[in-house]
Amino acid sequence: MYTVMPIMRHNLSRAGRPFMFDPPQNVRKREHRRETSTAPRNESALLVNPLDPKHIVGVEEITLPDGTPVVSARVTFDGGACWRESWPLPVETGWAGVVGPVLAVDAHGNLNLAALALEADRSRACLVVYRSDDGGLHWTLPTVVLHGGSECCYSIAADLNPGSPFQGSVYITADMGNTLCFARSTDGISWRGKGQSRPGPLVQGLCFNPEVLVDSSGLVHAVWMTGPSGCNILSLTSSDGGASFGAPVTIAEGITSVEEGLPETQPATCIARDGVALCVWADDREGRSRIYGRRSLDGGRTWQGPPSGEPLVSDAATAQHEFQPHLIITSGGEICCAFYEYGPKHPGGDLLVDLAMTISYDRGQTFKGRMILSESPWNPGEDQPISRQATRGALSWLALG
């Protein structure tokens, strides 16, 4: 089912902005690895290959003894029984390191890894793309796609749809300089922007936390926020593989981003084959962060409900903060929204984090109740949670089932 799910919008990374907590060192079975490192690790992203569910790739930031951040990739071809490591990915001379890796697989099975390469003084950076044609064991030298500041959010997606005239294309959006920037490639090696231009700004105006996704007909969608708070969520759509885009559409207006201490608000969007679309985000208008959303029945051209959105789950009994939502569509058509909950798990208890999920069985019209996915809640000050990208990858199995 080649819809726009986590696997297709796959991965969005914020580099340079601190979170309430950092991602953890995940424990995996790792026999038959090609190489082993004892460097400190942060789990960053996990990809389940939609073309081969037994092929799983994890990428993570590693800090070398001299303090240089680099990227490591771990690969399994048997569903996780055995893992091999490619470490570290090549770093150009003069770079201070590479951070924030995100992944997408193209229609030919090639892996595309986008990351932020820091310049020597770490005040500026370039967005680069590595490519692997053997499942993640070996990687090309990085290709520089965009230049800008060292604080940047970016997203990568590929067109996997057999019926799309642009099948195999790879797309990137980024908020370089707080401007919506765009890049596209048909081979993961050479990149250009809209039309015949170089990769760069797509529209005027402020941009925060963009994502890019591809629907089942090959339409490319860019979704972003117009400011840090009190802002709108907008989208652009391209029907010609990113050569041109239509006029911006307002998904939601007047949203309230989460307060300091929690990861900042980032929209998450999915589009089903029948045109049902859902956009969700963490909103603090009630004095605590809750997942809000809006629904579309025509592929994102128009959106239903209050202009500023409404709570995804109607029950307000919980006092938990909800944040970092992620959407998937299963092969059976259910829409699942996973998110973190932060707060006391019983009266007077410590502030702990759980991973939760709510499901819609009516094409996103209603979400009732929630289930806890984490085995036990954790203290973000002591035990580190898995990252948003790793959660996205872990839940991708639902979409493939």
Side-chain angles (χ1 to χ4, degrees):
M1 181 178 182
Y2 298 111
T3 55
V4 194
M5 298 173 298
I7 304 182
M8 298 192 61
R9 69 177 275 277
H10 277 349
N11 284 354
L12 182 145
S13 179
R14 164 64 64 187
R17 299 188 184 182
F19 290 95
M20 177 181 68
F21 34 64
D22 292 320
Q25 301 176 28
N26 278 2
V27 178
R28 298 195 186 98
K29 190 174 181 181
R30 293 173 177 164
E31 54 263 51
H32 305 298
R33 290 188 308 185
R34 191 163 62 101
E35 186 174 354
T36 301
S37 167
T38 58
R41 300 173 179 271
N42 286 324
E43 186 64 46
S44 295
L46 184 70
L47 165 68
V48 181
N49 187 342
L51 307 177
D52 178 8
K54 290 188 177 181
H55 177 209
I56 308 168
V57 184
V59 292
E60 57 193 347
E61 295 176 18
I62 295 177
T63 303
L64 299 181
D66 63 359
T68 301
V70 295
V71 173
S72 165
R74 295 171 183 263
V75 184
T76 177
F77 297 96
D78 55 12
C82 300
W83 291 82
R84 300 179 66 183
E85 182 174 14
S86 169
W87 178 89
L89 273 64
V91 177
E92 297 288 347
T93 302
W95 287 356
V98 179
V99 297
V102 294
L103 282 169
V105 62
D106 66 26
H108 308 293
N110 300 310
L111 293 171
N112 299 270
L113 186 155
L116 203 64
L118 303 174
E119 296 185 2
D121 62 359
R122 302 199 180 201
S123 64
R124 292 186 59 78
C126 51
L127 187 60
V128 300
V129 174
Y130 296 86
R131 191 169 179 270
S132 173
D133 59 8
D134 62 2
L137 297 177
H138 302 89
W139 298 84
T140 63
L141 293 174
T143 298
V144 175
V145 179
L146 292 164
H147 293 271
S150 59
E151 184 179 289
C152 179
C153 181
Y154 42 93
S155 172
I156 186 169
D159 187 345
L160 305 181
N161 304 289
S164 169
F166 309 102
Q167 182 190 22
S169 293
V170 183
Y171 306 98
I172 289 176
T173 54
D175 60 2
M176 282 281 186
N178 292 333
T179 299
L180 177 62
C181 295
F182 174 73
R184 59 190 173 113
S185 175
T186 57
D187 57 11
I189 300 174
S190 58
W191 294 82
R192 56 181 174 173
K194 183 176 67 171
Q196 299 301 317
S197 64
R198 297 166 59 91
L202 188 58
V203 293
Q204 295 181 340
L206 288 177
C207 168
F208 289 82
N209 301 337
E211 66 169 339
V212 63
L213 54 155
V214 186
D215 68 23
S216 60
S217 62
L219 298 182
V220 181
H221 304 264
V223 179
W224 75 99
M225 297 165 51
T226 60
S229 191
C231 63
N232 298 343
I233 299 176
L234 303 181
S235 69
L236 285 173
T237 300
S238 172
S239 60
D240 54 10
S244 63
F245 285 81
V249 171
T250 299
I251 296 177
E253 57 186 41
I255 68 171
T256 304
S257 297
V258 296
E259 296 294 327
E260 293 292 333
L262 292 174
E264 62 187 42
T265 296
Q266 296 178 342
T269 311
C270 67
I271 304 176
R273 283 187 177 275
D274 62 1
V276 171
L278 190 68
C279 181
V280 296
W281 64 91
D283 198 294
D284 200 44
R285 73 187 66 179
E286 300 178 24
R288 68 177 177 91
S289 180
R290 293 188 67 186
I291 305 302
Y292 271 64
R294 293 195 79 191
R295 179 173 178 255
S296 170
L297 298 179
D298 54 14
R301 290 187 292 272
T302 61
W303 294 83
Q304 298 181 321
S308 62
E310 55 191 338
L312 191 68
V313 182
S314 58
D315 64 317
T318 175
Q320 306 291 304
H321 289 280
E322 304 167 352
F323 60 97
Q324 279 193 345
H326 167 57
L327 293 168
I328 66 168
I329 304 173
T330 71
S331 58
E334 297 89 355
I335 301 178
C336 306
C337 180
F339 52 91
Y340 289 120
E341 291 186 338
Y342 176 61
K345 306 308 175 185
H346 57 81
D350 293 334
L351 301 179
L352 303 175
V353 177
D354 265 317
L355 178 62
M357 184 171 71
T358 183
I359 302 176
S360 172
Y361 298 95
D362 55 9
R363 314 302 290 151
Q365 188 170 352
T366 60
F367 288 80
K368 295 183 179 180
R370 65 191 71 201
M371 63 184 75
I372 301 300
L373 302 182
S374 45
E375 184 176 353
S376 60
W378 61 83
N379 185 331
E382 299 175 1
D383 303 308
Q384 306 295 327
I386 60 178
S387 69
R388 184 186 189 202
Q389 289 75 33
T391 304
R392 175 179 297 120
L395 291 176
S396 296
W397 277 297
L398 289 175
L400 295 172

